[in-house]
Short mmCIF file of all heavy atoms in Angstrom, two decimals:
data_model
loop_
_atom_site.label_atom_id
_atom_site.label_comp_id
_atom_site.label_asym_id
_atom_site.label_seq_id
_atom_site.Cartn_x
_atom_site.Cartn_y
_atom_site.Cartn_z
N MET X 1 63.69 267.84 68.01
CA MET X 1 64.96 268.51 68.14
C MET X 1 65.42 268.90 66.74
O MET X 1 65.38 268.11 65.81
CB MET X 1 65.96 267.58 68.83
CG MET X 1 67.39 267.97 68.65
SD MET X 1 68.66 266.97 69.46
CE MET X 1 68.08 265.33 69.39
N THR X 2 65.88 270.12 66.61
CA THR X 2 66.44 270.60 65.35
C THR X 2 67.91 270.20 65.28
O THR X 2 68.65 270.37 66.26
CB THR X 2 66.32 272.14 65.26
OG1 THR X 2 64.93 272.49 65.35
CG2 THR X 2 66.90 272.66 63.97
N ILE X 3 68.31 269.67 64.15
CA ILE X 3 69.71 269.27 63.95
C ILE X 3 70.43 270.42 63.26
O ILE X 3 70.03 270.84 62.17
CB ILE X 3 69.81 268.00 63.07
CG1 ILE X 3 68.93 266.86 63.62
CG2 ILE X 3 71.26 267.58 62.92
CD1 ILE X 3 69.33 266.34 64.97
N ASP X 4 71.48 270.93 63.90
CA ASP X 4 72.28 271.99 63.29
C ASP X 4 72.95 271.49 62.02
O ASP X 4 73.32 270.32 61.92
CB ASP X 4 73.36 272.49 64.26
CG ASP X 4 72.78 273.08 65.54
OD1 ASP X 4 71.63 273.54 65.52
OD2 ASP X 4 73.51 273.08 66.55
N ARG X 5 73.13 272.38 61.06
CA ARG X 5 73.71 272.02 59.77
C ARG X 5 75.11 271.41 59.93
O ARG X 5 75.43 270.40 59.31
CB ARG X 5 73.78 273.23 58.85
CG ARG X 5 74.35 272.91 57.47
CD ARG X 5 74.27 274.07 56.56
NE ARG X 5 72.85 274.25 56.24
CZ ARG X 5 72.38 275.24 55.54
NH1 ARG X 5 73.19 276.16 55.08
NH2 ARG X 5 71.09 275.34 55.30
N ASP X 6 75.94 272.00 60.79
CA ASP X 6 77.30 271.47 60.97
C ASP X 6 77.26 270.11 61.68
O ASP X 6 78.05 269.22 61.37
CB ASP X 6 78.21 272.45 61.71
CG ASP X 6 77.67 272.94 63.05
OD1 ASP X 6 76.52 272.62 63.40
OD2 ASP X 6 78.42 273.66 63.74
N VAL X 7 76.32 269.93 62.56
CA VAL X 7 76.15 268.63 63.24
C VAL X 7 75.75 267.57 62.21
O VAL X 7 76.30 266.47 62.20
CB VAL X 7 75.11 268.74 64.38
CG1 VAL X 7 74.69 267.38 64.88
CG2 VAL X 7 75.66 269.60 65.51
N GLN X 8 74.79 267.90 61.36
CA GLN X 8 74.36 266.98 60.31
C GLN X 8 75.54 266.59 59.42
O GLN X 8 75.73 265.41 59.10
CB GLN X 8 73.26 267.63 59.46
CG GLN X 8 72.68 266.73 58.39
CD GLN X 8 71.82 265.61 58.97
OE1 GLN X 8 71.08 265.83 59.93
NE2 GLN X 8 71.90 264.44 58.40
N HIS X 9 76.35 267.57 59.04
CA HIS X 9 77.50 267.31 58.18
C HIS X 9 78.47 266.32 58.81
O HIS X 9 78.83 265.31 58.20
CB HIS X 9 78.24 268.62 57.87
CG HIS X 9 79.62 268.40 57.34
ND1 HIS X 9 79.86 268.00 56.04
CD2 HIS X 9 80.83 268.48 57.94
CE1 HIS X 9 81.17 267.84 55.87
NE2 HIS X 9 81.78 268.13 57.01
N TRP X 10 78.88 266.59 60.05
CA TRP X 10 79.87 265.72 60.70
C TRP X 10 79.29 264.35 61.02
O TRP X 10 79.99 263.34 60.89
CB TRP X 10 80.47 266.39 61.93
CG TRP X 10 81.44 267.45 61.55
CD1 TRP X 10 81.29 268.80 61.66
CD2 TRP X 10 82.71 267.24 60.92
NE1 TRP X 10 82.37 269.44 61.15
CE2 TRP X 10 83.27 268.52 60.69
CE3 TRP X 10 83.43 266.13 60.53
CZ2 TRP X 10 84.51 268.71 60.10
CZ3 TRP X 10 84.67 266.29 59.93
CH2 TRP X 10 85.21 267.56 59.73
N ALA X 11 78.04 264.29 61.40
CA ALA X 11 77.41 263.00 61.67
C ALA X 11 77.37 262.16 60.40
O ALA X 11 77.73 260.96 60.43
CB ALA X 11 76.00 263.20 62.23
N GLU X 12 76.97 262.74 59.31
CA GLU X 12 76.94 262.01 58.03
C GLU X 12 78.35 261.58 57.61
O GLU X 12 78.55 260.46 57.16
CB GLU X 12 76.31 262.86 56.94
CG GLU X 12 74.81 262.97 57.06
CD GLU X 12 74.19 263.85 55.98
OE1 GLU X 12 74.91 264.28 55.04
OE2 GLU X 12 72.99 264.13 56.08
N TYR X 13 79.30 262.48 57.75
CA TYR X 13 80.68 262.19 57.35
C TYR X 13 81.23 260.96 58.08
O TYR X 13 81.91 260.13 57.49
CB TYR X 13 81.56 263.41 57.59
CG TYR X 13 82.98 263.25 57.13
CD1 TYR X 13 83.31 263.46 55.79
CD2 TYR X 13 83.99 262.86 58.01
CE1 TYR X 13 84.62 263.30 55.35
CE2 TYR X 13 85.28 262.69 57.57
CZ TYR X 13 85.59 262.91 56.25
OH TYR X 13 86.89 262.76 55.81
N PHE X 14 80.92 260.85 59.38
CA PHE X 14 81.43 259.75 60.19
C PHE X 14 80.44 258.60 60.34
O PHE X 14 80.72 257.63 61.04
CB PHE X 14 81.85 260.25 61.57
CG PHE X 14 83.20 260.92 61.56
CD1 PHE X 14 83.31 262.29 61.45
CD2 PHE X 14 84.36 260.17 61.65
CE1 PHE X 14 84.55 262.91 61.44
CE2 PHE X 14 85.61 260.77 61.63
CZ PHE X 14 85.70 262.15 61.53
N GLY X 15 79.28 258.72 59.72
CA GLY X 15 78.30 257.64 59.81
C GLY X 15 77.65 257.53 61.17
O GLY X 15 77.25 256.44 61.60
N GLU X 16 77.51 258.64 61.85
CA GLU X 16 76.90 258.65 63.18
C GLU X 16 75.46 259.18 63.09
O GLU X 16 75.08 259.83 62.13
CB GLU X 16 77.71 259.53 64.15
CG GLU X 16 79.06 258.96 64.50
CD GLU X 16 79.00 257.66 65.27
OE1 GLU X 16 77.96 257.37 65.90
OE2 GLU X 16 80.01 256.93 65.27
N ASP X 17 74.69 258.89 64.12
CA ASP X 17 73.31 259.36 64.20
C ASP X 17 73.33 260.87 64.52
O ASP X 17 73.84 261.26 65.57
CB ASP X 17 72.59 258.59 65.31
CG ASP X 17 71.14 258.96 65.47
OD1 ASP X 17 70.70 260.01 64.94
OD2 ASP X 17 70.43 258.20 66.14
N PRO X 18 72.80 261.71 63.64
CA PRO X 18 72.81 263.15 63.90
C PRO X 18 72.07 263.53 65.18
O PRO X 18 72.44 264.49 65.85
CB PRO X 18 72.13 263.76 62.68
CG PRO X 18 71.89 262.68 61.72
CD PRO X 18 72.20 261.37 62.36
N ARG X 19 71.03 262.74 65.54
CA ARG X 19 70.30 263.03 66.78
C ARG X 19 71.21 262.85 67.99
O ARG X 19 71.15 263.62 68.94
CB ARG X 19 69.07 262.14 66.92
CG ARG X 19 68.02 262.34 65.87
CD ARG X 19 66.93 261.26 65.94
NE ARG X 19 67.56 259.94 65.91
CZ ARG X 19 67.13 258.88 66.58
NH1 ARG X 19 66.07 258.96 67.36
NH2 ARG X 19 67.74 257.72 66.49
N LEU X 20 72.04 261.82 67.94
CA LEU X 20 72.96 261.57 69.05
C LEU X 20 74.00 262.68 69.15
O LEU X 20 74.25 263.21 70.23
CB LEU X 20 73.65 260.21 68.89
CG LEU X 20 74.73 259.89 69.92
CD1 LEU X 20 74.19 259.97 71.35
CD2 LEU X 20 75.32 258.51 69.63
N LEU X 21 74.58 263.05 68.02
CA LEU X 21 75.58 264.12 68.04
C LEU X 21 74.96 265.43 68.51
O LEU X 21 75.54 266.13 69.34
CB LEU X 21 76.23 264.27 66.67
CG LEU X 21 77.33 265.32 66.55
CD1 LEU X 21 78.46 265.05 67.56
CD2 LEU X 21 77.87 265.37 65.13
N GLN X 22 73.78 265.76 68.02
CA GLN X 22 73.10 266.99 68.44
C GLN X 22 72.80 266.95 69.94
O GLN X 22 72.97 267.93 70.65
CB GLN X 22 71.81 267.21 67.65
CG GLN X 22 71.13 268.53 67.94
CD GLN X 22 71.92 269.71 67.41
OE1 GLN X 22 72.31 269.72 66.25
NE2 GLN X 22 72.14 270.70 68.24
N ALA X 23 72.38 265.80 70.43
CA ALA X 23 72.09 265.66 71.87
C ALA X 23 73.35 265.86 72.70
O ALA X 23 73.30 266.50 73.75
CB ALA X 23 71.48 264.28 72.14
N ILE X 24 74.47 265.33 72.24
CA ILE X 24 75.73 265.53 72.96
C ILE X 24 76.09 267.01 72.98
O ILE X 24 76.46 267.56 74.03
CB ILE X 24 76.86 264.69 72.34
CG1 ILE X 24 76.61 263.20 72.58
CG2 ILE X 24 78.23 265.11 72.88
CD1 ILE X 24 77.52 262.27 71.80
N VAL X 25 75.96 267.67 71.84
CA VAL X 25 76.25 269.10 71.75
C VAL X 25 75.37 269.88 72.73
O VAL X 25 75.86 270.73 73.48
CB VAL X 25 76.06 269.61 70.30
CG1 VAL X 25 76.08 271.13 70.23
CG2 VAL X 25 77.14 269.01 69.39
N GLN X 26 74.10 269.57 72.75
CA GLN X 26 73.18 270.28 73.65
C GLN X 26 73.46 269.95 75.11
O GLN X 26 73.41 270.84 75.97
CB GLN X 26 71.74 269.95 73.28
CG GLN X 26 71.30 270.62 72.00
CD GLN X 26 69.88 270.30 71.62
OE1 GLN X 26 69.62 269.99 70.48
NE2 GLN X 26 68.96 270.37 72.56
N ALA X 27 73.74 268.70 75.42
CA ALA X 27 74.02 268.31 76.81
C ALA X 27 75.28 268.98 77.32
O ALA X 27 75.35 269.33 78.50
CB ALA X 27 74.14 266.79 76.92
N GLU X 28 76.25 269.17 76.45
CA GLU X 28 77.50 269.80 76.87
C GLU X 28 77.36 271.31 77.04
O GLU X 28 78.10 271.91 77.80
CB GLU X 28 78.62 269.50 75.86
CG GLU X 28 79.06 268.06 75.84
CD GLU X 28 79.70 267.60 77.14
OE1 GLU X 28 80.02 268.44 78.01
OE2 GLU X 28 79.88 266.38 77.30
N GLY X 29 76.43 271.91 76.34
CA GLY X 29 76.27 273.36 76.44
C GLY X 29 77.24 274.10 75.54
O GLY X 29 76.85 274.86 74.70
N ASN X 30 78.52 273.87 75.72
CA ASN X 30 79.56 274.46 74.88
C ASN X 30 80.50 273.34 74.48
O ASN X 30 81.39 272.96 75.25
CB ASN X 30 80.29 275.56 75.65
CG ASN X 30 81.33 276.27 74.81
OD1 ASN X 30 81.91 275.70 73.89
ND2 ASN X 30 81.56 277.53 75.12
N ILE X 31 80.30 272.80 73.30
CA ILE X 31 81.06 271.63 72.86
C ILE X 31 82.54 271.93 72.74
O ILE X 31 83.37 271.06 72.99
CB ILE X 31 80.47 271.04 71.55
CG1 ILE X 31 81.02 269.63 71.27
CG2 ILE X 31 80.69 271.97 70.38
CD1 ILE X 31 80.66 268.59 72.28
N VAL X 32 82.91 273.15 72.39
CA VAL X 32 84.33 273.49 72.29
C VAL X 32 84.98 273.42 73.66
O VAL X 32 86.02 272.78 73.84
CB VAL X 32 84.54 274.89 71.65
CG1 VAL X 32 86.01 275.27 71.65
CG2 VAL X 32 83.97 274.91 70.23
N ARG X 33 84.36 274.02 74.66
CA ARG X 33 84.91 273.95 76.02
C ARG X 33 84.95 272.52 76.54
O ARG X 33 85.88 272.13 77.23
CB ARG X 33 84.10 274.82 76.98
CG ARG X 33 84.59 276.23 77.01
CD ARG X 33 84.13 277.06 78.17
NE ARG X 33 83.28 276.39 79.13
CZ ARG X 33 82.23 276.92 79.69
NH1 ARG X 33 81.86 278.15 79.41
NH2 ARG X 33 81.52 276.25 80.57
N ALA X 34 83.95 271.73 76.21
CA ALA X 34 83.93 270.33 76.64
C ALA X 34 85.12 269.57 76.06
O ALA X 34 85.79 268.82 76.77
CB ALA X 34 82.63 269.66 76.22
N ILE X 35 85.41 269.78 74.80
CA ILE X 35 86.54 269.11 74.16
C ILE X 35 87.85 269.64 74.71
O ILE X 35 88.81 268.90 74.90
CB ILE X 35 86.48 269.28 72.62
CG1 ILE X 35 85.24 268.60 72.04
CG2 ILE X 35 87.74 268.75 71.96
CD1 ILE X 35 85.15 267.12 72.27
N GLN X 36 87.89 270.92 75.00
CA GLN X 36 89.13 271.52 75.53
C GLN X 36 89.54 270.95 76.88
O GLN X 36 90.71 271.06 77.25
CB GLN X 36 88.98 273.04 75.63
CG GLN X 36 89.02 273.72 74.28
CD GLN X 36 88.74 275.20 74.36
OE1 GLN X 36 88.11 275.69 75.30
NE2 GLN X 36 89.20 275.92 73.36
N CYS X 37 88.64 270.29 77.59
CA CYS X 37 89.02 269.66 78.86
C CYS X 37 90.11 268.61 78.64
O CYS X 37 90.96 268.41 79.50
CB CYS X 37 87.80 269.01 79.52
SG CYS X 37 86.65 270.20 80.19
N SER X 38 90.05 267.93 77.50
CA SER X 38 91.08 266.92 77.23
C SER X 38 91.98 267.29 76.05
O SER X 38 93.05 266.72 75.90
CB SER X 38 90.42 265.56 76.95
OG SER X 38 89.55 265.66 75.85
N MET X 39 91.53 268.24 75.25
CA MET X 39 92.31 268.66 74.08
C MET X 39 92.31 270.19 74.02
O MET X 39 91.54 270.79 73.26
CB MET X 39 91.73 268.08 72.79
CG MET X 39 91.73 266.57 72.75
SD MET X 39 91.01 265.95 71.21
CE MET X 39 92.35 266.30 70.08
N PRO X 40 93.16 270.84 74.81
CA PRO X 40 93.13 272.30 74.92
C PRO X 40 93.38 273.06 73.62
O PRO X 40 93.02 274.22 73.50
CB PRO X 40 94.23 272.62 75.94
CG PRO X 40 94.59 271.34 76.57
CD PRO X 40 94.14 270.24 75.69
N THR X 41 93.98 272.40 72.63
CA THR X 41 94.29 273.09 71.38
C THR X 41 93.09 273.23 70.45
O THR X 41 93.15 273.98 69.48
CB THR X 41 95.43 272.38 70.63
OG1 THR X 41 95.02 271.04 70.34
CG2 THR X 41 96.71 272.37 71.45
N VAL X 42 92.01 272.53 70.73
CA VAL X 42 90.81 272.65 69.89
C VAL X 42 90.19 274.02 70.13
O VAL X 42 89.85 274.36 71.25
CB VAL X 42 89.80 271.52 70.19
CG1 VAL X 42 88.48 271.78 69.49
CG2 VAL X 42 90.38 270.18 69.78
N GLN X 43 90.03 274.78 69.04
CA GLN X 43 89.56 276.16 69.17
C GLN X 43 88.25 276.44 68.45
O GLN X 43 87.65 277.48 68.67
CB GLN X 43 90.63 277.13 68.64
CG GLN X 43 91.93 277.08 69.42
CD GLN X 43 91.76 277.53 70.86
OE1 GLN X 43 91.10 278.54 71.13
NE2 GLN X 43 92.31 276.79 71.79
#
């Protein structure tokens, strides 16, 4: 799996596994829309 540059950045910043964050992004399909389900102001 290729890790997106922005995913790598945020994973490193928060000390998370970039593979896990990338997998969540891919599983969601559209991470912005997924977050907007509970936080509509995220754009």
Side-chain angles (χ1 to χ4, degrees):
M1 162 178 36
T2 301
I3 308 295
D4 299 335
R5 182 174 289 175
D6 54 354
V7 167
Q8 184 71 38
H9 164 76
W10 285 109
E12 285 179 7
Y13 184 83
F14 281 95
E16 292 295 339
D17 181 345
R19 296 171 307 144
L20 175 56
L21 182 57
Q22 186 70 50
I24 291 170
V25 168
Q26 287 180 226
E28 291 295 349
N30 183 330
I31 194 64
V32 176
R33 273 196 1 221
I35 297 299
Q36 287 174 336
C37 288
S38 59
M39 299 179 75
T41 60
V42 171
Q43 297 296 316

